[in-house]
Amino acid sequence: MIDLHDIKKSFGDVHVLKGISLHVDSKEQCVILGSSGSGKSTLLYILGTLDKASSGQILIDQKDLGKMNDEQLALFRNENIGFVFQFHFLLPSITCEQNILLPPRISGKSLAPYKELTEMLAKYLGVTHCLKKYPYQISGGEQQRINIIRALILKPAILLCDEPTGNLDSKNSQKVVSLLKDLSLELGSTLIVVTHDQKVASQFSRKITIEDGQLIS
Ligand code: ADP
Ligand code: MG
């Protein structure tokens, strides 16, 4: 479903990704483990179409992303890819529920079914009481869970998570990873998590290691 062929990425003469090839099946769950600076975020941005590779090919569902223009990529991204990043950016001036409903709003979809899904996911994650509040009125852990709901609201084919547990203690980080796995399974999404945290990685049966811009397992 996701196929990377010899992806390279350089910033000027700094070679960050040095030829990455990877196949991830539809609905698979995997973790990419690597130390800080190994190229994890760069790889995830390229996978998420937020940045372009210097060379190499990315196919998602046999569609060659390199052949899409920016407008096509933006549409593809909104419809197919959910992002959970360590520094979650909920818009401060609207409620959590309105934040969650942004992706369907941007797609011009009718909101009623998404409100229903929001309520279901909020109940599942224990943040029903947060929906009508503004982001500043809830805790960091609650914001993180709202962010996860927003990432999942369009039932993305692919869920990409960059250090999703970066600012959580180990008990909560284990919980968040379990939730990501359970929800991806339930919604039929492919899950890719990148982390430097060995404990997070141990929660996955498929573990890929990145070192200095290359996959080594
Ligand atoms: P990780 O997420 O594994 O910590 P990154 O992918 O963020 O690593 O970064 C890998 C390397 O690429 C680092 O050395 C970083 O400084 C460099 N890098 C990342 N983005 C840029 C950029 N926009 N310009 C220059 N260098 C960058
Ligand atoms: Mg990073």
Side-chain angles (χ1 to χ4, degrees), residues 102-163:
L102 273 180
R105 197 179 286 274
I106 289 168
S107 302
K109 297 189 195 292
S110 136
L111 294 185
Y114 296 99
K115 283 189 178 164
E116 214 168 289
L117 182 60
T118 297
E119 274 158 33
M120 188 201 101
L121 292 172
K123 197 166 164 197
Y124 193 97
L125 295 183
V127 287
T128 303
H129 62 288
C130 300
L131 290 178
K132 300 293 179 200
K133 292 185 178 168
Y134 291 88
Y136 69 87
Q137 295 174 313
I138 65 177
S139 74
E142 289 167 339
Q143 288 182 25
Q144 198 140 15
R145 280 174 277 166
I146 295 293
N147 202 44
I148 290 171
I149 298 174
R150 183 175 60 179
L152 286 167
I153 192 72
L154 289 180
K155 302 186 183 174
I158 303 170
L159 182 64
L160 301 177
C161 309
D162 192 351
E163 308 273 9

Side-chain angles (χ1 to χ4, degrees), residues 9-197:
K9 177 71 175 177
S10 305
F11 297 103
D13 52 11
V14 183
H15 305 297
V16 175
L17 300 179
K18 299 173 182 168
I20 295 215
S21 297
L22 176 67
H23 176 86
V24 180
D25 277 328
S26 178
K27 302 184 187 180
E28 197 173 350
Q29 305 192 332
C30 64
V31 68
I32 300 175
L33 175 69
S35 54
S36 171
S38 56
K40 302 183 297 295
S41 295
T42 305
L43 178 60
L44 212 65
Y45 288 151
I46 290 173
L47 254 174
T49 76
L50 295 169
D51 198 359
K52 287 200 159 118
S54 307
S55 68
Q57 194 183 35
I58 305 187
L59 300 173
I60 297 183
D61 271 345
Q62 283 144 34
K63 282 191 213 73
D64 187 338
L65 299 193
K67 297 202 169 122
M68 293 189 195
N69 64 31
D70 287 348
E71 202 179 321
Q72 290 168 322
L73 280 176
L75 192 69
F76 180 83
R77 190 186 309 135
N78 191 52
E79 305 248 304
N80 294 285
I81 303 177
F83 295 96
V84 177
F85 289 168
Q86 176 180 359
F87 301 104
H88 28 80
F89 301 104
L90 295 174
L91 295 181
S93 57
I94 57 177
T95 65
C96 291
E97 182 182 42
Q98 288 168 327
N99 267 282
I100 292 168
L101 293 172
L102 273 180
R105 197 179 286 274
I106 289 168
S107 302
K109 297 189 195 292
S110 136
L111 294 185
Y114 296 99
K115 283 189 178 164
E116 214 168 289
L117 182 60
T118 297
E119 274 158 33
M120 188 201 101
L121 292 172
K123 197 166 164 197
Y124 193 97
L125 295 183
V127 287
T128 303
H129 62 288
C130 300
L131 290 178
K132 300 293 179 200
K133 292 185 178 168
Y134 291 88
Y136 69 87
Q137 295 174 313
I138 65 177
S139 74
E142 289 167 339
Q143 288 182 25
Q144 198 140 15
R145 280 174 277 166
I146 295 293
N147 202 44
I148 290 171
I149 298 174
R150 183 175 60 179
L152 286 167
I153 192 72
L154 289 180
K155 302 186 183 174
I158 303 170
L159 182 64
L160 301 177
C161 309
D162 192 351
E163 308 273 9
T165 62
N167 38 19
L168 298 177
D169 59 42
S170 77
K171 188 169 143 231
N172 275 309
S173 85
Q174 199 175 359
K175 256 165 77 179
V176 165
V177 173
S178 300
L179 287 171
L180 288 170
K181 288 172 63 179
D182 291 351
L183 287 170
S184 302
L185 201 66
E186 186 141 339
L187 300 178
S189 305
T190 303
L191 175 65
I192 301 179
V193 171
V194 307
T195 184
H196 68 280
D197 187 339

